[in-house]
Each structure stands twice: as structure tokens, then as C-alpha cells.
């Protein structure tokens, strides 16, 4: 069983198109999205429509919750005042430019999903099982705490925009990275493939796409130009 896991698309339709095509070329068995379809870039409806059209199993991210339920904050952790201001502008843009039908879709996404394949039970969340917007950064105390409490075989999350995987004794933590707003230092989209056999094997996949289209669309909108720079550099 080979499962593609994508996350943090953030309204970047060009990145999502490229990743979906890459997954299809690899003929994988299942695709799961661990949230944050919207925010930051300019194509929230296009992203949601593609996710729905492809019947991709999806759990809710903090941005999906904020846009779907029209909240005043996105649930992001921005200690810098300028970053917090930009996030608020991003949220407002996404709320104003997402259709009512698609807001309802986001609002009704599950916050957690558990599936079993080949005797391995996998739980999919956006941030962590404890909190929708908790960051499980690699080697962090939060990740260690969560995995000490976790009772299944594999926990898959997103939210940090940096893909990795790590064993905690006999349990595995997988972060699926970011399709649409990479923070790896590369503009390429990234996602993971989990190959379930007797053991689980994880591959981190990078997919190139025309990121200039996304960056220019941001610059031509009311969104902060800083978002375009993140798209071009993979740094935030």
C-alpha cells in the first residue's frame, strides 16, 4: 500500500496541479491531505475544487477552520508583529475570495482521520492530536511528548512546512511538508509517500513547478509581496 500525503497547499493551484500529476504518474494507491488548503496565495477556490474533484481524503487545517468558520485569526504562531499583520491580511483575502459552498466544505472537514492498512494503523492530523495548530517540529519536545502518548503505529502531520520522519521506539512520526508554501529553502513543492509493508518506508518527494506564476499572481493582488518572496525562495 503506497500512500501519498500532501499538506499546506495554501491556495497555490500551480503547485497542487504539479503534485497531483506526479502522484498519478507514480500510480499510488491513495492520496490524503492533512489540511491548510487555503491562505497566502490567490487561488483558494481552484485548490478546493481540485481536491474535491479528485476525491482526496482531507483533514482540517487551522486555515481551513478559520476560513470555513470565518474566524478573525488564522491560528498561526507569529511572534513578529509584521508577520501577524500579514497573516491577518491573508485570512481576510481567503475569506473574501472563497465561495460559500467551499467555505461549507472546509468547515465540515474532520480534524482527525485514522486508517488501517497491512496491519498498520495511521492517524492523520494537521498540527497534532492535541491541537489543530500545534507545531510538531523535528526533534522538538512537543513531538516527543505527543509520541509518548500516541498509541497507534504512525502519526502523520503537516503545519510546519518542513517534511521529515522519525522513529520513536516502534512508532513513527511523519511530517508531510508543504505543497504550496515550502520552507525547505527550495521553491519546489514537496510531499511524502508512505509505503506500507511489514515495515513502513517513507520517501520525501520534491516536485518542480512554475512558481513564478504563483508569485506574480500574489504581487498583482492586494496580498503582501513578502508572500511572493517566500514562494520564490522557500524561506520564511
Amino acid at each position: 500500500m503506497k500512500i501519498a500525503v500532501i499538506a499546506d497547499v495554501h491556495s497555490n493551484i500551480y503547485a497542487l496541479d504539479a503534485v497531483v500529476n506526479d502522484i498519478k504518474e507514480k500510480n499510488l494507491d491513495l492520496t490524503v491531505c492533512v489540511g491548510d488548503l487555503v491562505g497566502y496565495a490567490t487561488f483558494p477556490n481552484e485548490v478546493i475544487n481540485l481536491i474535491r474533484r479528485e476525491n482526496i481524503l482531507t483533514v482540517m487545517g487551522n486555515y481551513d477552520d478559520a476560513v470555513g468558520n470565518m474566524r478573525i485569526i488564522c491560528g498561526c504562531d507569529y511572534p513578529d508583529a509584521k508577520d501577524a499583520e500579514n497573516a491577518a491580511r491573508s485570512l481576510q483575502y481567503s475569506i473574501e475570495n472563497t465561495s460559500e459552498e467551499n467555505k461549507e466544505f472546509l468547515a465540515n472537514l474532520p480534524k482527525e482521520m485514522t486508517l488501517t492498512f497491512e496491519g498498520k494503523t495511521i492517524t492523520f492530523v494537521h498540527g497534532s492530536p492535541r491541537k489543530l495548530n500545534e507545531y510538531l517540529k523535528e526533534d522538538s519536545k512537543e513531538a516527543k511528548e505527543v509520541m509518548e502518548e500516541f498509541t497507534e503505529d504512525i502519526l502523520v502531520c503537516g503545519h510546519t512546512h518542513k517534511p521529515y520522519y522519525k522513529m520513536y521506539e516502534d512508532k513513527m512520526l511523519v511530517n508531510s511538508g508543504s505543497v504550496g508554501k515550502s520552507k525547505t529553502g527550495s521553491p519546489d513543492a514537496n510531499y511524502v509517500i508512505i509505503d506500507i509493508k511489514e515495515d513502513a518506508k517513507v520517501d520525501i518527494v520534491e516536485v518542480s513547478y512554475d512558481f513564478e506564476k504563483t508569485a506574480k499572481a500574489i504581487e498583482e493582488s492586494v496580498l503582501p509581496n513578502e508572500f511572493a518572496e517566500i514562494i520564490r525562495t522557500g524561506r520564511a
Side-chain angles (χ1 to χ4, degrees), residues 162-180:
K162 293 182 179 181
Y164 71 87
Y165 57 95
K166 182 175 180 176
M167 295 300 300
Y168 289 82
E169 296 182 356
D170 60 343
K171 297 174 288 188
M172 179 183 283
L173 173 60
V174 181
N175 190 298
S176 53
S178 174
V179 167

Side-chain angles (χ1 to χ4, degrees), residues 109-233:
L109 289 171
K111 292 184 178 179
E112 183 175 304
M113 179 168 49
T114 299
L115 303 172
T116 300
F117 304 102
E118 307 290 339
K120 298 285 186 184
T121 301
I122 312 173
T123 295
F124 300 89
V125 297
H126 180 66
S128 88
R130 304 190 297 194
K131 204 172 180 182
L132 190 64
N133 64 343
E134 182 174 28
Y135 290 92
L136 298 186
K137 296 179 181 179
E138 189 171 7
D139 296 322
S140 66
K141 68 178 182 62
E142 291 84 4
K144 184 174 182 292
E145 289 170 358
V146 165
M147 294 308 290
E148 284 175 351
E149 300 168 359
F150 186 64
T151 59
E152 310 299 348
D153 298 301
I154 303 170
L155 176 62
V156 183
C157 63
H159 195 46
T160 72
H161 297 217
K162 293 182 179 181
Y164 71 87
Y165 57 95
K166 182 175 180 176
M167 295 300 300
Y168 289 82
E169 296 182 356
D170 60 343
K171 297 174 288 188
M172 179 183 283
L173 173 60
V174 181
N175 190 298
S176 53
S178 174
V179 167
K181 189 171 178 269
S182 172
K183 294 182 182 178
T184 65
S186 166
D188 290 348
N190 54 74
Y191 73 100
V192 300
I193 299 171
I194 306 174
D195 188 356
I196 307 293
K197 296 179 182 176
E198 289 183 6
D199 295 313
K201 179 174 177 283
V202 179
D203 289 319
I204 296 171
V205 183
E206 292 192 353
V207 180
S208 61
Y209 73 101
D210 191 348
F211 56 84
E212 273 299 323
K213 284 186 177 180
T214 301
K216 287 177 181 176
I218 291 170
E219 289 173 336
E220 290 168 0
S221 75
V222 298
L223 290 168
N225 284 346
E226 291 95 321
F227 294 171
E229 188 63 17
I230 293 170
I231 293 296
R232 290 188 174 110
T233 64

Side-chain angles (χ1 to χ4, degrees), residues 22-33:
D22 189 72
I23 290 168
K24 287 180 177 178
E25 287 174 5
K26 288 180 168 62
N27 197 29
L28 304 178
D29 299 302
L30 179 69
T31 303
V32 177
C33 177

Side-chain angles (χ1 to χ4, degrees), residues 16-71:
L16 181 60
D17 270 332
V19 166
V20 167
N21 287 336
D22 189 72
I23 290 168
K24 287 180 177 178
E25 287 174 5
K26 288 180 168 62
N27 197 29
L28 304 178
D29 299 302
L30 179 69
T31 303
V32 177
C33 177
V34 292
D36 271 11
L37 305 184
V38 293
Y40 295 108
T42 57
F43 304 101
N45 284 314
E46 289 85 347
V47 164
I48 297 167
N49 291 343
L50 179 55
I51 291 286
R52 296 177 71 178
R53 188 164 64 248
E54 296 292 330
N55 293 314
I56 294 173
L57 295 176
T58 304
V59 299
M60 179 186 286
N62 54 289
Y63 246 100
D64 307 321
D65 174 49
V67 172
N69 294 294
M70 292 186 286
R71 304 192 190 282

